[in-house]
Amino acid sequence: RLPSLVPQHLHRDGIALFNLLRPRGVSWSRAVACVAQRFPEVRVIALDDFENRIVMASRALPPARTLHAQLKGALQQLGSWQATRFHVRAA
Protein backbone atom coordinates (compact mmCIF):
# COMPACT_ATOMS: atom_id res chain seq x y z
CA ARG A 1 0.00 0.00 0.00
CA LEU A 2 1.14 3.51 -0.80
CA PRO A 3 1.37 4.89 2.78
CA SER A 4 3.82 2.12 3.68
CA LEU A 5 6.08 2.99 0.72
CA VAL A 6 6.21 6.76 1.24
CA PRO A 7 8.45 6.99 4.35
CA GLN A 8 11.37 5.19 2.71
CA HIS A 9 11.25 7.52 -0.32
CA LEU A 10 10.55 10.77 1.49
CA HIS A 11 13.40 13.27 1.77
CA ARG A 12 14.62 13.77 5.33
CA ASP A 13 12.84 17.13 5.55
CA GLY A 14 9.93 16.11 3.31
CA ILE A 15 6.23 16.18 4.06
CA ALA A 16 3.76 13.60 2.78
CA LEU A 17 0.16 14.61 2.12
CA PHE A 18 -2.61 12.02 1.87
CA ASN A 19 -6.15 12.78 0.75
CA LEU A 20 -7.98 10.25 2.92
CA LEU A 21 -11.51 9.00 2.47
CA ARG A 22 -12.81 6.78 5.25
CA PRO A 23 -13.47 3.24 4.07
CA ARG A 24 -16.97 1.95 4.77
CA GLY A 25 -17.15 0.31 8.19
CA VAL A 26 -13.91 1.89 9.46
CA SER A 27 -13.75 4.73 11.99
CA TRP A 28 -11.88 7.93 11.17
CA SER A 29 -9.41 7.27 13.99
CA ARG A 30 -8.61 3.81 12.59
CA ALA A 31 -8.32 5.09 9.01
CA VAL A 32 -5.91 7.86 10.09
CA ALA A 33 -3.95 5.45 12.30
CA CYS A 34 -3.32 3.15 9.32
CA VAL A 35 -1.67 6.00 7.43
CA ALA A 36 0.00 7.62 10.45
CA GLN A 37 1.66 4.56 11.99
CA ARG A 38 4.83 4.90 9.93
CA PHE A 39 5.47 8.58 10.67
CA PRO A 40 6.69 10.29 13.85
CA GLU A 41 4.55 13.42 13.33
CA VAL A 42 1.05 13.55 11.87
CA ARG A 43 -1.57 16.30 11.57
CA VAL A 44 -5.11 15.84 10.33
CA ILE A 45 -6.84 18.66 8.45
CA ALA A 46 -10.62 18.41 8.30
CA LEU A 47 -12.53 20.81 6.07
CA ASP A 48 -16.04 21.62 7.28
CA ASP A 49 -17.62 21.22 3.83
CA PHE A 50 -15.93 17.99 2.72
CA GLU A 51 -16.02 14.37 3.81
CA ASN A 52 -12.34 13.63 3.23
CA ARG A 53 -9.46 14.44 5.56
CA ILE A 54 -6.00 15.65 4.59
CA VAL A 55 -3.33 13.76 6.51
CA MET A 56 0.03 15.54 6.72
CA ALA A 57 2.92 13.34 7.84
CA SER A 58 6.63 13.92 8.36
CA ARG A 59 9.56 13.51 10.71
CA ALA A 60 8.81 16.94 12.18
CA LEU A 61 5.77 19.21 11.89
CA PRO A 62 4.67 22.36 13.69
CA PRO A 63 2.07 22.00 16.45
CA ALA A 64 -1.53 21.81 15.23
CA ARG A 65 -2.30 25.35 16.43
CA THR A 66 0.69 26.80 14.56
CA LEU A 67 -0.09 24.85 11.40
CA HIS A 68 -3.71 26.03 11.54
CA ALA A 69 -2.58 29.65 11.75
CA GLN A 70 -0.15 29.20 8.84
CA LEU A 71 -2.74 27.53 6.62
CA LYS A 72 -5.39 30.09 7.54
CA GLY A 73 -3.04 32.94 6.62
CA ALA A 74 -2.14 31.35 3.28
CA LEU A 75 -5.79 30.68 2.44
CA GLN A 76 -6.74 34.25 3.37
CA GLN A 77 -4.04 35.59 1.06
CA LEU A 78 -5.56 33.51 -1.74
CA GLY A 79 -9.01 34.86 -0.91
CA SER A 80 -10.30 31.37 -0.20
CA TRP A 81 -13.59 31.02 1.66
CA GLN A 82 -12.09 27.84 3.23
CA ALA A 83 -9.81 30.00 5.40
CA THR A 84 -12.22 29.77 8.31
CA ARG A 85 -13.81 26.41 7.52
CA PHE A 86 -11.24 23.84 8.60
CA HIS A 87 -9.68 22.34 11.71
CA VAL A 88 -6.23 20.89 12.40
CA ARG A 89 -5.42 18.32 15.05
CA ALA A 90 -2.57 16.04 15.95
CA ALA A 91 -3.18 12.37 15.15
Side-chain angles (χ1 to χ4, degrees), residues 7-35:
Q8 63 195 16
H9 296 286
L10 193 62
H11 185 276
R12 190 171 64 97
D13 297 329
I15 296 173
L17 293 174
F18 300 93
N19 184 10
L20 187 64
L21 286 171
R22 184 177 55 89
R24 189 173 294 161
V26 177
S27 68
W28 270 115
S29 59
R30 179 69 184 132
V32 170
C34 288
V35 174

Side-chain angles (χ1 to χ4, degrees), residues 33-48:
C34 288
V35 174
Q37 67 187 352
R38 300 181 189 277
F39 296 93
E41 295 279 339
V42 176
R43 304 292 177 264
V44 179
I45 304 163
L47 294 118
D48 294 349

